[in-house]
Amino acid sequence: MESSSSPGGRTRREATRQKLYEAAVTLIAEQGFSATTVDEIAERAGVAKGTVYYNFASKSVLFEELLRHGVGLLTASLREAAERTAREGRGKVDALDAMVLAGLVFIERYPSFTQLYVAELWRTNRAWQSTLMVVRQEAVAVVEGVLREGIENGEFSDEIDVPLTASALVGMVLVAALDWQAFQSERSLDDVHAALSRLLQGRVSGRR
């Protein structure tokens, strides 16, 4: 039998934690954090209740780690999009556009998580608020880096407020994607990306 410290053990534990994340995010999206019990999370994940506590000290810790995990995936997808355009020798507007698409793809794949994440950003009484602010800034910082590089190479105006513009771009993708899924679900991903891409080109690049 492999221990949790072996490669096989780590893989199984990661798979179990992923099932718990998916169960928790679905249930909390459906009925709220307070109404969701550890028993329900375990049942939805298909594991014993003790497995939840083996992996997470409490329901709050599970949710905090869920937020960290989800935003970490989003941050990684944004960073990969920026790095890919750099390898291809494309400009910073293209990098931002690729990040917009990456964000939309992430949200289409994890709609329940995105809804929870956006909702939690506006709460101030949660134990995990400081963690949420840290991981949010990690995602925004990827966009800030691209904006600063664009300013340095003359592609963007040096009058751009980098922190606010980065937050606005991330917020644009989050809100537009949620609106798309809730009220305009007949539109395709490519259609939504094209609309946001046109907005990006007109508001950020400074092209005439």
Side-chain angles (χ1 to χ4, degrees):
M1 181 176 179
E2 293 174 288
S3 71
S4 61
S5 61
S6 69
R10 285 196 299 272
T11 299
R12 285 198 300 274
R13 186 174 187 187
E14 288 166 3
T16 298
R17 289 169 74 92
Q18 183 62 36
K19 287 196 290 187
L20 290 171
Y21 286 142
E22 292 172 357
V25 75
T26 302
L27 285 166
I28 294 170
E30 290 173 355
Q31 58 194 31
F33 177 80
S34 298
T36 299
T37 67
V38 171
D39 285 336
E40 290 173 320
I41 293 171
E43 182 179 0
R44 180 69 65 93
V47 301
K49 182 178 180 179
T51 302
V52 180
Y53 290 114
Y54 175 76
N55 286 275
F56 305 99
S58 66
K59 183 177 71 170
S60 292
V61 171
L62 167 56
F63 191 58
E64 181 174 353
E65 288 301 312
L66 167 64
L67 291 171
R68 189 190 300 275
H69 174 71
V71 180
L73 291 176
L74 173 60
T75 301
S77 68
L78 296 177
R79 183 177 295 111
E80 195 281 328
E83 292 174 349
R84 184 177 65 254
T85 56
R87 289 194 302 269
E88 295 169 353
R90 295 154 62 194
K92 299 308 175 185
V93 173
D94 289 335
L96 292 175
D97 187 59
M99 294 164 84
V100 168
L101 178 58
L104 291 173
V105 169
F106 174 88
I107 293 164
E108 184 181 45
R109 184 176 180 183
Y110 304 108
S112 295
F113 172 79
T114 305
Q115 292 170 17
L116 285 178
Y117 170 64
V118 172
E120 290 300 317
L121 283 175
W122 299 103
R123 300 182 189 276
T124 59
N125 61 341
R126 300 295 207 190
W128 50 79
Q129 190 67 25
S130 60
T131 295
L132 184 58
M133 292 300 100
V134 168
V135 295
R136 170 203 167 273
Q137 184 53 40
E138 289 174 356
V140 173
V142 178
V143 184
E144 289 180 354
V146 172
L147 289 170
R148 289 194 175 94
E149 290 170 2
I151 292 171
E152 290 172 2
N153 68 20
E155 193 170 352
F156 299 149
S157 167
D158 59 8
E159 295 180 355
I160 288 177
D161 184 320
V162 171
L164 188 58
T165 301
S167 295
L169 288 171
V170 173
M172 175 185 74
V173 174
L174 289 172
V175 174
L178 291 177
D179 185 87
W180 160 41
Q181 294 188 341
F183 305 113
Q184 305 180 58
S185 59
E186 73 282 358
R187 302 183 68 167
S188 68
L189 173 64
D190 289 341
D191 187 27
V192 176
H193 173 230
L196 295 186
S197 181
R198 285 191 291 270
L199 181 61
L200 174 67
Q201 297 286 338
R203 296 294 185 271
V204 176
S205 72
R207 294 173 181 170
R208 297 292 185 264

